[in-house]
Structures are given as C-alpha cells and as structure tokens.
Amino acid sequence: MITRNFFLFLSNNKFMKSKAMKWGPKFGAKHVIAGETMKEAMETVQKLNEDGLLCTVDHLGEFVYTKEEATQAADHCIRALEAIANTGVNCNLSVKLTSLGLDVDRNLCRDNMVRILTKAKECNNFVRIDMEDYSHLDATLDLLNELMQSFDNVGTAIQSYLHRAEADLRRLKGVNLRLIKGAYKESPEVAFQKQEEVDGNYLNIIKVHLLNGSYAAVATHDHRVIEEVKKFAKENGITKDQFEFQMLYGFRTELQKEIAEQGYKMRIYVPFGEDWYGFYMRRLAERPQNIRFALQGLFSK
Ligand code: FDA
C-alpha cells in the first residue's frame, strides 16, 4: 500500500515529471510505451496485428493548462486516426478528456471531441474515453451523454472500485464500455479499499453489462477474471462478438497471444508520445513488481 501511494504521489508530481522527461522513456518505461513518435506507434500496432492482436492507441498527455495545449492534443488524436486509416491497421483510439481541455474549458473539450469523433466516423473508427480520477467522473459521463446524441462511435470506461459503478453502468445500457478495476487513489467515501471488494464488484459489473446485452471490453491482466468471464459467457450463451479482452502493451504478452489464439478478441492498449511519465508511474503503483522493468531499464542500454 505504501509503494502504491508513493507511485501515485509521483504520478501527480510535476517536479519529478519535469526531471524524468529530461531523461526520456528510460528506466523501464520503454517496455510499456510504444515510442515517442506516431511512426513508432504504427510500427508497433502493425506487429501486434500480425500476432492476431487488435489495438487501441493513446497519445499520452496530462497536465494540460491552456487552450492551445488542448487543441494540439486533439490535433494529435486526429493525426493518429489518419495514420491508422493510411496504414490500414486494426486499431481504434483512446483519449483522456483532461488532455483535451476538460479542466480548461468544458466547451473547448466538447468541440475537440466533436472534431475527433467526426474524423473517426469518416475513417469508420471508434473512440474510447478513458476514465480518470473521481473528480472528473461526472463531467466525463455528462460529456459522453451529450456526444452520444450525435455520435454512435464513442464509449467510455467504468471503474469497479467505485461504489456507484453498477448504477452508472446500468444507466449506460447498450453502450460499448471498457470495464476496469480503476487506477487512481480514491477515498473510502467513494471507493472500495479492499482488493476483494474491488474484485467482487468487477465480476459483478462485467456480468450485469453482458446480461444486459451490451458490449463489454474486459480490460484486465487478472487471469482469474479472464477465465471466469470465458466460463460465464459460455454458460449464458454470450457470443465472442459481444465482448473483448484488453491488456496494456508490454504486460502478460504470452497470455495476450494465448487468448487471441483461442478465438477471443484481444485488444492491446498502446500508449505513445513524449508525455509518458504519469502513465508509467500509475503502472508502477498498480504492480510494484513492474519495477523490474525499471531496473532492467537502468542496466540495459
Ligand atoms: P490486478 O492488478 O488487480 O492484478 C490481479 C492479479 O492478476 C494479480 O494478483 C496477479 O496474479 C495477476 N497479474 C496482474 N498483472 C500481472 C502481470 N503484469 N504479470 C503477471 N500477473 C499479473 N484504469 C482507469 O482508472 N481508467 C482507465 O481508463 C483504464 N484503462 C485501462 C485500459 C486497459 C487496456 C487496461 C488493461 C487497464 C486500464 N486501466 C484503467 C487500469 C485498471 O483500472 C487497473 O488499474 C489495472 O488493469 C490493474 O488491474 P488488473 O485488473 O489488471 O489486475
């Protein structure tokens, strides 16, 4: 718990971020970030596709303070959609609303999303809004609802550590949702603190969403959950086209391939870009064993 809090603290620490950025994605980050450029990201996606894995790319970006930065972030997303269309890879896009200006100007953020979704529609592609910390939950769901009035190629993510997860999910019946345990530090007022409660609610929301006939992206590295979902789907006549599994790039790569070989849709979340620091610190917080990557990074060139 101390290690988790330490890395979550670092993930939000602007001084440490500025120091780390000077080094570039070393200390293990390069094992979980698909490079800093679009070209590197597309090459990675192409290789993953060749192994039977679908992808979603995320152009990393956090701590956006100005309208210009938010507009630039949206431009990056649009270029990513163009690159996906031009290279013909099987890949969609994941975005964070704070990097598109949610904290700067809500209307600008909406306009950025409209630009991105319009381009995605033109390219016959789908955009998923990642879920950030609790302070952004209502604003995210509110904007999603507004966007869904004009677009059918957008979805978001629901975090099982939140007490209100099932209620939110039921309101989003029919929406393509990524279901996750949740990656941020949240208070006991809003979130379960015990792992078994988070895990229990995770299986619960997956089952509710599937039984509702809705599409679920089950995003986890937890093999026990994956096995349970496969079993639950078989027992309840839920076909393989109603759900997919998702994992992060660089994690449990053998298991990723095994799941794809079994005929399940397996999508890899491929982060890229220069702003990799916060993403990497949250991965270390989730699983301190990931520090192994960091140490390997220290000792390898
Ligand atoms: P968890 O970390 O609870 O591990 C459970 C068990 O699985 C472990 O005890 C171990 O046995 C096994 N295991 C896990 N990782 C392993 C590894 N690397 N190697 C071997 N065994 C391992 N969060 C968020 O708040 N908003 C978001 O939008 C997203 N988006 C997102 C997309 C995708 C594709 C993924 C995979 C995850 C996210 N997350 C996220 C992060 C998510 O909320 C969660 O924090 C992490 O996935 C960690 O939880 P897990 O369910 O993976 O297993």
Side-chain angles (χ1 to χ4, degrees):
M1 189 47 129
I2 293 170
T3 330
R4 177 168 189 263
N5 290 344
F6 174 65
F7 285 118
L8 286 176
F9 162 76
L10 286 184
S11 75
N12 264 323
N13 190 291
K14 295 171 187 73
F15 174 75
M16 289 304 289
K17 176 183 167 175
S18 71
K19 291 285 164 207
M21 297 304 285
K22 286 200 182 118
W23 285 84
K26 296 192 179 69
F27 305 129
K30 66 179 179 188
H31 294 278
V32 295
I33 310 293
E36 294 188 274
T37 65
M38 187 82 72
K39 184 170 175 287
E40 288 171 303
M42 288 303 122
E43 283 166 3
T44 302
V45 168
Q46 224 147 14
K47 282 195 202 115
L48 292 166
N49 278 181
E50 282 162 19
D51 283 338
L53 303 164
L54 313 172
C55 294
T56 182
V57 284
D58 168 31
H59 182 261
L60 294 166
E62 301 189 32
F63 305 134
V64 162
Y65 299 112
T66 65
K67 291 184 179 183
E68 290 70 30
E69 285 170 333
T71 304
Q72 273 170 21
D75 293 344
H76 274 296
C77 291
I78 289 168
R79 281 202 290 278
L81 287 165
E82 286 167 350
I84 291 167
N86 292 338
T87 44
V89 286
N90 194 328
C91 182
N92 59 41
L93 180 72
S94 291
V95 297
K96 286 192 177 50
L97 291 185
T98 54
S99 79
L100 299 173
L102 188 62
D103 291 337
V104 181
D105 176 344
R106 196 253 184 209
N107 289 341
L108 171 76
C109 181
R110 182 203 52 218
D111 294 348
N112 281 335
M113 274 307 291
V114 167
R115 282 201 297 135
I116 293 167
L117 289 171
T118 304
K119 173 55 80 178
K121 193 86 195 151
E122 206 180 294
C123 302
N124 199 20
N125 212 336
F126 174 83
V127 179
R128 171 148 349 255
I129 301 173
D130 288 349
M131 190 54 78
E132 301 182 63
D133 66 309
Y134 189 73
S135 69
H136 294 103
L137 176 63
D138 281 322
T140 302
L141 295 181
D142 183 59
L143 188 47
L144 173 77
N145 279 318
E146 186 178 336
L147 293 166
M148 283 193 312
Q149 286 169 23
S150 318
F151 296 95
D152 59 3
N153 58 338
V154 61
T156 190
I158 293 286
Q159 298 151 322
S160 76
Y161 62 17
L162 295 181
H163 298 146
R164 56 182 269 192
E166 184 181 339
D168 286 336
L169 172 122
R170 285 190 183 277
R171 275 190 289 272
L172 292 169
K173 186 175 174 199
V175 178
N176 177 334
L177 291 179
R178 175 193 296 149
L179 306 176
I180 44 181
K181 292 185 190 177
Y184 298 83
K185 180 167 168 46
E186 303 295 359
S187 73
E189 282 73 42
V190 300
F192 297 112
Q193 306 293 309
K194 290 193 187 135
Q195 193 60 48
E196 54 279 19
E197 289 177 315
V198 177
D199 290 356
N201 198 35
Y202 190 45
L203 279 173
N204 169 45
I205 60 169
I206 295 169
K207 291 175 181 176
V208 168
H209 203 54
L210 288 173
L211 287 179
N212 263 341
S214 310
Y215 190 87
V218 178
T220 183
H221 309 109
D222 191 334
H223 48 280
R224 295 161 309 178
V225 172
I226 293 166
E227 284 314 308
E228 177 72 22
V229 170
K230 287 181 194 165
K231 187 164 154 268
F232 180 79
K234 271 195 199 112
E235 285 169 2
N236 290 278
I238 291 159
T239 54
K240 286 178 178 166
D241 58 4
Q242 200 197 315
F243 65 100
E244 65 186 46
F245 292 108
Q246 296 191 349
M247 288 193 203
L248 302 177
Y249 173 67
F251 288 78
R252 308 208 81 171
T253 47
E254 287 310 310
L255 184 56
Q256 293 174 2
K257 285 187 203 156
E258 199 182 303
I259 291 170
E261 279 160 15
Q262 290 167 353
Y264 293 98
K265 282 189 270 179
M266 178 75 240
R267 189 178 302 276
I268 312 305
Y269 185 108
V270 179
F272 77 102
E274 291 167 7
D275 204 356
W276 49 268
Y277 174 81
F279 175 87
Y280 184 48
M281 287 302 142
R282 284 197 299 281
R283 301 296 77 80
L284 291 178
E286 273 160 15
R287 193 169 160 80
Q289 290 95 314
N290 292 340
I291 200 82
R292 182 171 55 85
F293 286 135
L295 292 172
Q296 276 170 358
L298 263 180
F299 297 111
S300 66
K301 291 196 178 163

